[in-house]
Every structure is written in structure tokens, then in C-alpha cells.
């Protein structure tokens, strides 16, 4: 996949097509940094910085771990007292949201159930792929180069199980670890490699440019 051009985070908060998809479809709102304040006492057990950069409609937080730029790990902190590693870098998170904006509904579901969740999203939003592709191009990403649903969800679970997730442990104001976003029971039933990616009908593009958009040269 070709490298994207420039920083992603400013576009998540300002580019019209990007905001329309991420805030309106993927439930990731980076438009108002002043709203991005973690609850008092929520922090990393390691003592490293935890920087919120976006929020969900529920108030849940997307946060960078440590110091640096968009290459930093991203954790999700929910108001329900759960937290977990989502991605190693903002690009991974962007790919997850573009390909599987319904990722929050994935834990604990079988491959067949995941297909039903994805199908419901497509039924409720007939222009999903058009909106997704417009957002991808606005971010400097070629939709044809995006990973599949199975790939991004499998990566999501592997991140939650890996050593980086341990280093990204989030604790509350009393110092107790928050519950894992993806628990052991969820992992057991999360058969993501078997997920079959949906192919859109002619005229729509799942992984390429929609017919309504001109080719970029």
C-alpha cells in the first residue's frame, strides 16, 4: 500500500469527507480537541503520557500512548471502565475504522455473526462504500490498498494479546486496572481469519474508487 501523504490527525478533524465518515459512521470525532479530556485519575500504569485525541459519541476516548507522533500506540478508554490497545499507530486505527467501522460489535461473535453485523451496516447505509472511499482518498489512501475486514479484525485481536498491550495497561483513579476491552472469553470465540469479506454489487466499490469519483493522477 502506498504511503499516505502527510499527517492524518489534522485531516480527521477538518477534512469534510473525512469528518463525515469518521464522526458520522465510525464514531470517531476529532473535530474539537477542547472536548478531549480524560476523567481525572485515568492514566497508564507505566506512568507514560496518555494523550486523548478523539472521542466517541458516548464520550469514550481514543488516546495516544507515550510521547511522539502518529506512530504511537492507540488505546481506547470507555466510560464503562474498559480499556485496550487498538492499533500500533494512527494509520492502523484509520484502516480499522475505514474497513470495519462496526469493530466495537466484533468481540464475542463468531465469523457468521460478524458477517451479519457487517451486512446490517451495509443495509442501514447503502452509500457506505462511497463515503468510505471518499474519506480514504481525502486522507491520501488508495481504497484498493486497504486490508480486508478479516485482516484488520484479526490484527485488532492480535494487538490486544501482544506485549505492547501489556505495556499500555490503563488504570483508574484508585490505581486499579480497567477491564480489558477484549477479554479472554471474547478471544476464544473471535474466529476472525475465517471471516469472508463482502463484495459489493457492480457500481459500488468496496476496495477501489467509486464510479462517482474521477480518477486521481
Amino acid at each position: 500500500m502506498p504511503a499516505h501523504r502527510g499527517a492524518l490527525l489534522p485531516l480527521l478533524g477538518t477534512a469534510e469527507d473525512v469528518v463525515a465518515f469518521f464522526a458520522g459512521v465510525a464514531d470517531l470525532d476529532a473535530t474539537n480537541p477542547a472536548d478531549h479530556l480524560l476523567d481525572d485519575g485515568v492514566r497508564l500504569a507505566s506512568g507514560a503520557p496518555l494523550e486523548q485525541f478523539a472521542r466517541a459519541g458516548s464520550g469514550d476516548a481514543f488516546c495516544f500512548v507515550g510521547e511522539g507522533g502518529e506512530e504511537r500506540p492507540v488505546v481506547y478508554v470507555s466510560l464503562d471502565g474498559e480499556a485496550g490497545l487498538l492499533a500500533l499507530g494512527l494509520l492502523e486505527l484509520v484502516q480499522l475504522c475505514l474497513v470495519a467501522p462496526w469493530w466495537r460489535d466484533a468481540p464475542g461473535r463468531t465469523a457468521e455473526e460478524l458477517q451479519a453485523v457487517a451486512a446490517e451496516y451495509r443495509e442501514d447505509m447503502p452509500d457506505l462504500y462511497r463515503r468510505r472511499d471518499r474519506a480514504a482518498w481525502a486522507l491520501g489512501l488508495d481504497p484498493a490498498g486497504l486490508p480486508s475486514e478479516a485482516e484488520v479484525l484479526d490484527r485488532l485481536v492480535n494487538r490486544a494479546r501482544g506485549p505492547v498491550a501489556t505495556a499500555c495497561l490503563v488504570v483508574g483513579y484508585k490505581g486499579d486496572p480497567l477491564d480489558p476491552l477484549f477479554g479472554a472469553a471474547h478471544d476464544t470465540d473471535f474466529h476472525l481469519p475465517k471471516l469472508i469479506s463482502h463484495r459489493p454489487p457492480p457500481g459500488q466499490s468496496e476496495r477501489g474508487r467509486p464510479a462517482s469519483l474521477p480518477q486521481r493522477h
Side-chain angles (χ1 to χ4, degrees):
M1 182 173 183
H4 64 85
R5 304 183 186 91
L8 296 171
L9 186 55
L11 296 173
L12 289 176
T14 60
E16 181 178 357
D17 286 334
V18 177
V19 172
F21 183 87
F22 279 82
V25 178
D27 196 19
L28 185 156
D29 187 349
T31 59
N32 191 355
D35 288 344
H36 304 159
L37 297 174
L38 288 170
D39 289 343
D40 290 341
V42 174
R43 62 194 188 280
L44 289 171
S46 67
L50 188 62
E51 176 190 341
Q52 183 174 353
F53 64 87
R55 66 190 296 274
S58 62
D60 296 351
F62 295 87
C63 304
F64 284 126
V65 171
E67 298 179 351
E70 296 182 356
E71 79 286 351
R72 288 176 287 174
V74 177
V75 299
Y76 188 84
V77 182
S78 81
L79 295 182
D80 294 327
E82 297 179 338
L85 179 69
L86 292 185
L88 297 184
L90 187 57
L91 178 58
E92 279 193 9
L93 177 66
V94 163
Q95 291 175 340
L96 173 65
C97 292
L98 287 171
V99 175
W102 39 266
W103 62 266
R104 294 172 183 80
D105 296 324
R109 298 181 187 272
T110 65
E112 292 75 17
E113 290 170 339
L114 285 173
Q115 291 180 52
V117 170
E120 184 176 351
Y121 246 78
R122 291 188 288 267
E123 182 179 347
D124 291 343
M125 197 174 300
D127 63 345
L128 174 64
Y129 294 125
R130 179 183 63 82
R131 296 174 67 176
R132 191 276 307 276
D133 287 0
R134 285 184 178 274
W137 284 114
L139 289 166
L141 302 173
D142 184 349
L146 291 173
S148 69
E149 292 175 350
E151 289 168 337
V152 297
L153 292 171
D154 187 43
R155 183 170 66 191
L156 177 64
V157 170
N158 287 332
R159 294 286 182 254
R161 293 170 172 169
V164 178
T166 302
C168 295
L169 180 67
V170 179
V171 299
Y173 72 96
K174 292 184 178 180
D176 297 325
L178 300 188
D179 292 333
L181 196 60
F182 305 107
H186 290 164
D187 291 347
T188 302
D189 298 328
F190 209 9
H191 301 303
L192 296 174
K194 300 179 181 179
L195 180 65
I196 300 174
S197 296
H198 168 79
R199 300 299 178 188
Q204 285 185 300
S205 172
E206 179 192 14
R207 305 189 64 175
R209 178 177 292 276
S212 60
L213 290 180
Q215 291 292 329
R216 173 180 288 184
H217 299 288

